[in-house]
Amino acid sequence: SQQGEEDPQALSIQEGENATMNCSYKTSINNLQWYRQNSGRGLVHLILIRSNEREKHSGRLRVTLDTSKKSSSLLITASRAADTASYFCATALYGNKLVFGAGTILRVKS
Amino acid sequence: KAGVTQTPRYLIKTRGQQVTLSCSPISGHRSVSWYQQTPGQGLQFLFEYFSETQRNKGNFPGRFSGRQFSNSRSEMNVSTLELGDSALYLCASSSSPSFTDTQYFGPGTRLTVL
């Protein structure tokens, strides 16, 4: 199976609610990155969190990293219809490659 | 700064042909990586170049190759196209090698193989 696996596979919420997506991985990493993709377009970088960091914030986004559990979570607060997209976590293996998870499809209903 | 650009945006080829895709990184970025995205396999890493040298390679057959020029622009070539090569091909650039920093993605090239 893939290095990074996200859950849930799909999430449907109402505008204004919070959305939480989780990512698990298997091997040691240099960093973990979260991306958003709208309808088969290019990926937009959201947050990069390094292996020695536990939490990072960017606007309405909050990312946590637990290296002991090999997991990360992305929280989007006060979601908007424009947040509707696919979200991917990607793990950067030391000097090796960037491995993407299967993604979470988020739908925010207005 | 201008973002990562990819050309062409859309491409239709037939089986057996070859194709070359181009990627221009953000000015000053020396690392370029390539990815294939398909509904079945998701996003898969193809290769990474830094300062004209291939640093890492994913698990793809030798039909997939690439190169990087002295101005950091990169090209990816796929020879003897197969139906399964139909995909969105994305490139990304970064200021540092080996994915230690943020990757900035281009809009992608949609390749259809008939």
Side-chain angles (χ1 to χ4, degrees):
Chain A
S1 56
Q2 292 181 302
Q3 157 76 342
E5 297 187 359
E6 285 123 307
D7 80 270
Q9 290 185 328
L11 184 58
S12 183
I13 59 174
Q14 293 290 337
E15 212 167 23
E17 293 181 337
N18 295 343
T20 299
M21 288 160 262
N22 303 296
C23 171
S24 61
Y25 57 92
K26 296 188 172 108
T27 63
S28 295
I29 60 173
N30 176 290
N31 63 71
L32 187 146
Q33 305 174 27
W34 284 91
Y35 292 86
R36 183 186 75 228
Q37 185 178 40
N38 292 83
S39 300
R41 298 180 185 175
L43 277 71
V44 174
H45 176 261
L46 297 176
I47 289 182
L48 181 153
I49 186 165
R50 302 193 186 279
S51 58
N52 61 351
E53 297 175 311
R54 292 297 167 258
E55 187 171 313
K56 285 190 86 168
H57 296 255
S58 177
R60 295 183 296 113
L61 308 179
R62 171 178 169 256
V63 166
T64 61
L65 179 65
D66 187 333
T67 53
S68 66
K69 295 181 179 178
K70 292 187 170 57
S71 67
S72 173
S73 67
L74 168 67
L75 168 67
I76 304 174
T77 60
S79 62
R80 306 166 181 168
D83 294 329
T84 295
S86 293
Y87 291 81
F88 296 90
C89 71
T91 48
L93 311 185
Y94 283 100
N96 192 345
K97 55 187 177 181
L98 194 63
V99 180
F100 283 85
T104 293
I105 299 172
L106 173 65
R107 180 186 171 207
V108 182
K109 296 175 284 187
S110 55
Chain B
K1 276 186 181 178
V4 177
T5 58
Q6 291 187 246
T7 57
R9 293 292 310 280
Y10 301 91
L11 207 48
I12 299 175
K13 292 285 187 179
T14 56
R15 277 180 299 174
Q17 288 187 310
Q18 77 166 21
V19 67
T20 299
L21 311 182
S22 180
C23 174
S24 292
I26 290 172
S27 177
H29 284 188
R30 293 158 60 195
S31 171
V32 173
S33 52
W34 288 88
Y35 305 82
Q36 181 197 65
Q37 186 176 28
T38 60
Q41 299 298 316
L43 275 155
Q44 293 186 288
F45 167 73
L46 279 156
F47 26 67
E48 183 211 5
Y49 287 88
F50 183 79
S51 294
E52 301 179 67
T53 301
Q54 186 180 88
R55 291 180 61 90
N56 297 295
K57 191 174 191 305
N59 298 325
F60 278 81
R63 300 185 296 108
F64 292 81
S65 63
R67 58 178 175 168
Q68 186 180 35
F69 302 95
S70 58
N71 62 358
S72 294
R73 189 177 70 84
S74 177
E75 287 183 347
M76 191 192 89
N77 185 275
V78 187
S79 62
T80 319
L81 284 166
E82 301 176 358
L83 295 179
D85 297 332
S86 293
L88 179 67
Y89 289 88
L90 295 161
C91 80
S93 77
S94 179
S95 55
S96 302
S98 301
F99 313 107
T100 54
D101 278 313
T102 299
Q103 306 294 307
Y104 295 90
F105 281 80
T109 293
R110 174 77 60 183
L111 172 64
T112 301
V113 182
L114 303 175

